Short mmCIF file of all heavy atoms in Angstrom, two decimals:
data_model
loop_
_atom_site.label_atom_id
_atom_site.label_comp_id
_atom_site.label_asym_id
_atom_site.label_seq_id
_atom_site.Cartn_x
_atom_site.Cartn_y
_atom_site.Cartn_z
N GLU A 116 24.59 9.86 18.38
CA GLU A 116 25.84 9.95 19.13
C GLU A 116 25.64 9.60 20.60
O GLU A 116 26.44 8.87 21.20
CB GLU A 116 26.43 11.35 19.00
CG GLU A 116 27.76 11.53 19.73
CD GLU A 116 28.38 12.89 19.51
OE1 GLU A 116 27.88 13.65 18.67
OE2 GLU A 116 29.37 13.19 20.20
N LEU A 117 24.54 10.11 21.20
CA LEU A 117 24.29 9.83 22.60
C LEU A 117 24.07 8.35 22.87
O LEU A 117 24.51 7.83 23.90
CB LEU A 117 23.07 10.63 23.08
CG LEU A 117 23.33 11.98 23.74
CD1 LEU A 117 22.02 12.68 24.04
CD2 LEU A 117 24.14 11.80 25.01
N ALA A 118 23.38 7.68 21.95
CA ALA A 118 23.14 6.25 22.14
C ALA A 118 24.46 5.48 22.24
O ALA A 118 24.55 4.48 22.96
CB ALA A 118 22.30 5.71 20.99
N ALA A 119 25.48 5.97 21.53
CA ALA A 119 26.77 5.29 21.53
C ALA A 119 27.66 5.69 22.70
O ALA A 119 28.51 4.91 23.12
CB ALA A 119 27.50 5.59 20.21
N THR A 120 27.46 6.90 23.23
CA THR A 120 28.40 7.41 24.23
C THR A 120 27.82 7.50 25.64
O THR A 120 28.59 7.60 26.61
CB THR A 120 28.90 8.81 23.82
OG1 THR A 120 27.78 9.70 23.72
CG2 THR A 120 29.62 8.75 22.47
N HIS A 121 26.51 7.48 25.78
CA HIS A 121 25.90 7.64 27.11
C HIS A 121 26.19 6.41 27.97
O HIS A 121 26.14 5.26 27.50
CB HIS A 121 24.39 7.82 26.97
CG HIS A 121 23.71 8.14 28.27
ND1 HIS A 121 23.75 9.38 28.85
CD2 HIS A 121 22.97 7.36 29.09
CE1 HIS A 121 23.06 9.37 29.98
NE2 HIS A 121 22.58 8.14 30.14
N SER A 122 26.47 6.64 29.24
CA SER A 122 26.69 5.54 30.17
C SER A 122 25.36 5.12 30.78
O SER A 122 24.71 5.91 31.47
CB SER A 122 27.67 5.95 31.28
OG SER A 122 27.82 4.90 32.21
N PHE A 123 24.97 3.89 30.51
CA PHE A 123 23.72 3.36 31.04
C PHE A 123 23.94 2.58 32.33
O PHE A 123 23.00 1.99 32.87
CB PHE A 123 23.04 2.47 30.00
CG PHE A 123 22.55 3.23 28.78
CD1 PHE A 123 23.38 3.42 27.70
CD2 PHE A 123 21.27 3.76 28.75
CE1 PHE A 123 22.94 4.12 26.57
CE2 PHE A 123 20.83 4.47 27.64
CZ PHE A 123 21.66 4.65 26.55
N VAL A 124 25.18 2.57 32.82
CA VAL A 124 25.53 1.86 34.06
C VAL A 124 26.39 2.77 34.91
O VAL A 124 27.30 3.44 34.40
CB VAL A 124 26.29 0.55 33.77
CG1 VAL A 124 26.58 -0.18 35.07
CG2 VAL A 124 25.50 -0.35 32.83
N GLU A 125 26.11 2.83 36.22
CA GLU A 125 26.86 3.69 37.12
C GLU A 125 27.11 2.97 38.44
O GLU A 125 26.22 2.29 38.97
CB GLU A 125 26.04 4.98 37.39
CG GLU A 125 26.68 5.94 38.35
CD GLU A 125 25.77 7.11 38.68
OE1 GLU A 125 24.57 7.04 38.31
OE2 GLU A 125 26.25 8.07 39.32
N GLU A 126 28.32 3.06 38.97
CA GLU A 126 28.66 2.48 40.27
C GLU A 126 28.57 3.55 41.35
O GLU A 126 29.16 4.63 41.22
CB GLU A 126 30.06 1.89 40.25
CG GLU A 126 30.17 0.64 39.39
CD GLU A 126 31.50 -0.07 39.57
OE1 GLU A 126 32.18 0.22 40.58
OE2 GLU A 126 31.86 -0.88 38.70
N ILE A 127 27.79 3.28 42.40
CA ILE A 127 27.66 4.18 43.53
C ILE A 127 27.94 3.37 44.79
O ILE A 127 27.08 2.61 45.25
CB ILE A 127 26.26 4.83 43.59
CG1 ILE A 127 25.92 5.55 42.28
CG2 ILE A 127 26.16 5.79 44.77
CD1 ILE A 127 24.52 6.12 42.24
N GLY A 128 29.12 3.52 45.32
CA GLY A 128 29.48 2.75 46.50
C GLY A 128 29.41 1.25 46.22
O GLY A 128 30.03 0.76 45.28
N ASN A 129 28.61 0.55 47.02
CA ASN A 129 28.48 -0.90 46.83
C ASN A 129 27.32 -1.26 45.91
O ASN A 129 26.87 -2.41 45.87
CB ASN A 129 28.29 -1.60 48.18
CG ASN A 129 27.00 -1.21 48.86
OD1 ASN A 129 26.72 -0.04 49.02
ND2 ASN A 129 26.22 -2.20 49.25
N SER A 130 26.82 -0.25 45.14
CA SER A 130 25.69 -0.48 44.24
C SER A 130 26.10 -0.27 42.79
O SER A 130 26.96 0.55 42.48
CB SER A 130 24.54 0.48 44.56
OG SER A 130 24.10 0.32 45.89
N VAL A 131 25.45 -1.02 41.92
CA VAL A 131 25.54 -0.78 40.49
C VAL A 131 24.15 -0.36 40.02
O VAL A 131 23.16 -1.07 40.26
CB VAL A 131 26.00 -2.03 39.71
CG1 VAL A 131 26.02 -1.75 38.22
CG2 VAL A 131 27.38 -2.46 40.18
N VAL A 132 24.08 0.81 39.41
CA VAL A 132 22.79 1.38 39.00
C VAL A 132 22.67 1.29 37.48
O VAL A 132 23.54 1.77 36.76
CB VAL A 132 22.66 2.84 39.47
CG1 VAL A 132 21.32 3.41 39.04
CG2 VAL A 132 22.82 2.94 40.98
N TYR A 133 21.59 0.68 37.03
CA TYR A 133 21.35 0.49 35.60
C TYR A 133 20.24 1.44 35.15
O TYR A 133 19.20 1.57 35.82
CB TYR A 133 20.93 -0.94 35.30
CG TYR A 133 22.02 -1.95 35.56
CD1 TYR A 133 22.16 -2.52 36.83
CD2 TYR A 133 22.89 -2.33 34.55
CE1 TYR A 133 23.15 -3.45 37.09
CE2 TYR A 133 23.89 -3.26 34.80
CZ TYR A 133 24.02 -3.81 36.07
OH TYR A 133 25.02 -4.73 36.32
N ALA A 134 20.45 2.09 34.01
CA ALA A 134 19.41 2.90 33.37
C ALA A 134 18.76 2.03 32.31
O ALA A 134 19.40 1.66 31.32
CB ALA A 134 20.00 4.15 32.76
N GLU A 135 17.49 1.70 32.50
CA GLU A 135 16.78 0.78 31.61
C GLU A 135 15.61 1.49 30.93
O GLU A 135 15.08 2.48 31.46
CB GLU A 135 16.26 -0.41 32.42
CG GLU A 135 17.37 -1.20 33.10
CD GLU A 135 16.85 -2.40 33.88
OE1 GLU A 135 15.64 -2.43 34.21
OE2 GLU A 135 17.65 -3.30 34.16
N PRO A 136 15.21 1.00 29.78
CA PRO A 136 14.08 1.66 29.08
C PRO A 136 12.80 1.60 29.88
O PRO A 136 12.51 0.60 30.54
CB PRO A 136 13.98 0.87 27.77
CG PRO A 136 14.68 -0.43 28.03
CD PRO A 136 15.75 -0.14 29.01
#
Side-chain angles (χ1 to χ4, degrees):
E116 181 176 351
L117 266 175
T120 60
H121 186 77
S122 177
F123 293 89
V124 182
E125 178 186 11
E126 290 190 18
I127 304 176
N129 65 308
S130 301
V131 178
V132 180
Y133 294 88
E135 300 180 341

